Amino acid sequence: MDLSTREGRREQGQLIQKAVERAGLSIEELANRIGCSRALIYQYLSGTTLAQPDRLQQIASEVSVPLAYFYGGAADEGRKGRKTGDSQDAGARFRERIEQLEELARAQEAPPEWDALASSCERIVSLAAQFDDEAAEARALLRLGKARCRMGEFSRASDSLVRAATLFSALGDAGREADSRQALGHALLAGGKTGDAREQFEWVAQSGLWQARWSGTVSLAGVFEQLGDYRRAMEKCDDAAAILEESQNTQETARGMLYVNGNRVNLYLACGDYNSAQALSEKILDEAEALGNSDQHLEARLNLGVCATSQGRWAVARKTLTSALQLARFVGDKGRESMSRAALAILLAALCDCDACIEYAKDALAAALSQGDHRAELFAQMALADAYFALDRESEARYHANQALAVAAALRLALYETASRLRLARLSLHIGDTEDANDPIERALGAARHLGARQLEAEALILRGKKRLREKDAANAEQDGHSAAGIAREIGARPLQWEAEILVAHAAYEKEPIDRDAVEAAASRAIEFIEAVRTDLREAGIPDTILEDRERRGIYLLRATLLSEMGRKDEAERFIEQAGWPPLADRFEAAVRMMTKRGARA
């Protein structure tokens, strides 16, 4: 009985109908008793819909048959009163029960029901151990390990997969041993055990099996990416692609290339090559949908959201990450659900929607900690640091930035160690401690250049420029701003562009004499970038909270002040009014009064 086919489901439906008829019930009576519609029962009978185990258990109770009956078991199996002289020996009954549960497990894999699948596999493991059926036990452990990975239970998944690999090795089943080790490597990597994961992937990549060779090789690319060795990671992607090309099966090759290209996207994102990341993610999204690969479809959607966040396409990013979260929840992928929440929280912090950010980040953090998902934990901690920074809650922001740094260091994630150090430097600058900010800025700048992470290099330059500005070194601060703006322009990171231009404008304003043309030009460019994002948000129906950020408000105020100083007060007032942010008008009036007093004293 193959429940993944219409014919197999119809066969099960016939068993349901026979049991109902023997019990003397009508379909309507059965539906009323188990609390569902008559139409749903008809769908079970015709095989158009797969009856779920919990619903089948309800039906079994009403018609007085064991659940196993609906999977091909005897109608009286499991009932009390079986005589000791039963002709069916215990071994045969065990084998039959295991076969029924394996059939059920296969049905629970497509479409996936991870909790139910894990429960079925645990029952198979128990039965198989009693009967000394090592092959059945190993198959169930492999399924169980993969299900637990999907559920985000990486430590428990590792335990199951180690046992599966050991059993398959003893059985001489090289294919399934490689499959177990591949899944084990992913569980170990997610749990922060990079070295152990690498050992598993190397074993798989060196096997003589085509499927295992490319799978292990592309997973090694993920290990090197995590370690910050992007050159070797890209080489492994190329090696995996070459192995895939050996096959004559175009469908399998296309499926494998989804994973190779998914790893390439991660490398593009790490280096700040957002244009390449976006283009390749869109290609993966289309191909994954065509191939029916929900795993890589979801991964591509998540990557597109992260990419749009960095590019400043925040309306698109919010829509994309929200859909990724909904899809992850729908398919039961708890790991990507946590990552989607954390990525969405980082976006919400950038939007200055801090209450929503904290809610999403705390949910992601709780899930990540319960699952042992350190990468999702890292992103959630960074999001909380960003939100509390925006709210001027310095001690809380520093705590979460330090937590993010600790997780990144434990996982040997050089990219995110650098990102966490920059958050700590930003906090130090905010409270005026330039000396404390110096070391993390310089370390981050050196690490970013070593990694080739252009976006982090630009961010470090901006922070160094702010530090120099506080130290009254306006000329070098302006140069840092120009360098950061050039990088941001090359990689297409609009938020970094306006941050760099804000730095240039403030540096030009602090020079003696004031470089008014440079201030006006840089301020106008920064505001143009910010206004483009605000327009996108309003057109998408998303609340515009962009100017909650103190530095973004500051550049509007600087430009208006400059216009007023140049005798263009009417133009300055129109500009402030057009900004559509009432608190700016009050701040501007206060600045004008201050200028008037200074003029009177002079």
Side-chain angles (χ1 to χ4, degrees), residues 506 527 530-531 534 538 544-561 564 569 572-593 595:
H506 282 292
I527 290 164
I530 294 170
E531 284 298 312
R534 296 182 72 198
R538 288 193 292 267
D544 173 15
T545 51
I546 293 292
L547 294 185
E548 291 283 1
D549 180 87
R550 63 182 76 85
E551 290 193 358
R552 297 170 202 159
R553 288 195 308 268
I555 195 62
Y556 283 73
L557 191 61
L558 178 63
R559 182 171 186 270
T561 301
S564 186
K569 188 181 178 196
E573 289 175 344
R574 285 195 302 273
F575 165 68
I576 289 294
E577 183 180 357
Q578 289 167 358
W581 195 260
L584 273 176
D586 297 335
R587 293 282 304 277
F588 176 62
E589 287 302 320
V592 169
R593 286 195 298 272
M595 284 189 295

Side-chain angles (χ1 to χ4, degrees), residues 167-188:
L167 285 172
F168 283 128
S169 177
L171 292 165
D173 190 336
R176 286 197 175 101
E177 182 184 358
D179 196 5
S180 301
R181 288 179 178 274
Q182 177 74 8
L184 174 59
H186 286 296
L188 291 167

Side-chain angles (χ1 to χ4, degrees), residues 334-477:
K334 294 186 179 180
R336 287 196 178 94
E337 182 181 346
S338 297
M339 275 299 299
S340 297
R341 284 187 190 280
L344 187 54
I346 288 176
L347 169 64
L348 290 168
L351 288 166
C352 294
D353 190 352
C354 295
D355 290 342
C357 167
I358 291 169
E359 180 183 351
Y360 275 94
K362 284 186 173 180
D363 286 346
L365 182 58
L369 290 172
S370 68
Q371 297 161 5
D373 187 344
H374 297 299
R375 188 176 283 260
E377 178 190 355
L378 167 63
F379 275 71
Q381 296 284 14
M382 290 194 296
L384 287 167
D386 292 346
Y388 288 126
F389 174 80
L391 293 169
D392 286 323
R393 291 160 64 173
E394 189 269 337
S395 62
E396 289 162 290
R398 188 172 294 279
Y399 168 78
H400 289 290
N402 275 314
Q403 289 296 106
L405 178 59
V407 174
L411 295 177
R412 298 177 64 190
L413 292 171
L415 185 76
Y416 296 109
E417 279 191 70
T418 304
S420 300
R421 291 188 195 284
L422 289 173
R423 283 171 167 80
L424 290 167
R426 181 178 62 178
L427 280 162
S428 295
L429 286 176
H430 179 58
I431 62 174
D433 191 344
T434 55
E435 185 176 345
D436 192 50
N438 187 66
D439 181 63
I441 289 173
E442 292 301 328
R443 289 181 66 181
L445 184 58
R449 286 171 171 165
H450 174 74
L451 290 168
R454 305 295 310 286
Q455 76 284 14
L456 293 182
E457 181 183 356
E459 189 176 340
L461 286 168
I462 290 167
L463 289 178
R464 189 174 72 177
K466 289 179 180 179
K467 180 184 76 72
R468 286 174 164 173
L469 199 55
R470 285 181 175 273
E471 296 169 341
K472 308 302 181 184
D473 185 0
N476 281 319

Side-chain angles (χ1 to χ4, degrees), residues 235-517:
E235 287 175 355
K236 289 297 179 183
C237 286
D238 294 341
D239 290 345
I243 295 169
L244 283 164
E245 289 173 1
E246 296 173 7
S247 174
Q248 302 300 312
N249 187 326
T250 55
Q251 187 86 349
E252 281 298 307
T253 298
R255 177 182 170 277
M257 283 304 300
L258 290 176
Y259 293 89
V260 173
N261 286 331
N263 276 268
R264 285 172 171 160
V265 167
N266 291 335
L267 293 169
Y268 290 143
L269 288 173
C271 295
D273 187 352
Y274 301 122
N275 292 331
S276 296
Q278 180 187 346
L280 190 53
S281 292
E282 288 171 347
K283 181 175 184 289
I284 294 169
L285 193 71
D286 292 339
E287 291 177 351
E289 186 171 359
L291 292 166
N293 189 316
S294 62
D295 177 63
Q296 287 305 296
H297 180 93
L298 177 52
E299 183 72 10
R301 194 176 291 274
L302 180 55
N303 282 335
L304 282 169
V306 171
C307 189
T309 298
S310 298
Q311 291 171 315
R313 297 184 299 118
W314 289 349
V316 172
R318 182 156 186 172
K319 178 181 178 182
T320 305
L321 290 172
T322 299
S323 68
L325 174 59
Q326 293 168 342
L327 181 58
R329 191 186 301 123
F330 177 75
V331 301
D333 191 332
K334 294 186 179 180
R336 287 196 178 94
E337 182 181 346
S338 297
M339 275 299 299
S340 297
R341 284 187 190 280
L344 187 54
I346 288 176
L347 169 64
L348 290 168
L351 288 166
C352 294
D353 190 352
C354 295
D355 290 342
C357 167
I358 291 169
E359 180 183 351
Y360 275 94
K362 284 186 173 180
D363 286 346
L365 182 58
L369 290 172
S370 68
Q371 297 161 5
D373 187 344
H374 297 299
R375 188 176 283 260
E377 178 190 355
L378 167 63
F379 275 71
Q381 296 284 14
M382 290 194 296
L384 287 167
D386 292 346
Y388 288 126
F389 174 80
L391 293 169
D392 286 323
R393 291 160 64 173
E394 189 269 337
S395 62
E396 289 162 290
R398 188 172 294 279
Y399 168 78
H400 289 290
N402 275 314
Q403 289 296 106
L405 178 59
V407 174
L411 295 177
R412 298 177 64 190
L413 292 171
L415 185 76
Y416 296 109
E417 279 191 70
T418 304
S420 300
R421 291 188 195 284
L422 289 173
R423 283 171 167 80
L424 290 167
R426 181 178 62 178
L427 280 162
S428 295
L429 286 176
H430 179 58
I431 62 174
D433 191 344
T434 55
E435 185 176 345
D436 192 50
N438 187 66
D439 181 63
I441 289 173
E442 292 301 328
R443 289 181 66 181
L445 184 58
R449 286 171 171 165
H450 174 74
L451 290 168
R454 305 295 310 286
Q455 76 284 14
L456 293 182
E457 181 183 356
E459 189 176 340
L461 286 168
I462 290 167
L463 289 178
R464 189 174 72 177
K466 289 179 180 179
K467 180 184 76 72
R468 286 174 164 173
L469 199 55
R470 285 181 175 273
E471 296 169 341
K472 308 302 181 184
D473 185 0
N476 281 319
E478 186 177 20
Q479 183 56 49
D480 280 341
H482 283 304
S483 298
I487 294 172
R489 186 167 51 251
E490 288 174 20
I491 65 178
R494 195 157 48 178
L496 286 175
Q497 283 182 272
W498 77 54
E499 288 184 29
E501 296 294 357
I502 288 172
L503 171 60
V504 170
H506 282 292
Y509 192 75
E510 293 297 322
K511 291 171 74 174
E512 292 290 346
I514 296 173
D515 189 342
R516 298 185 187 278
D517 289 340

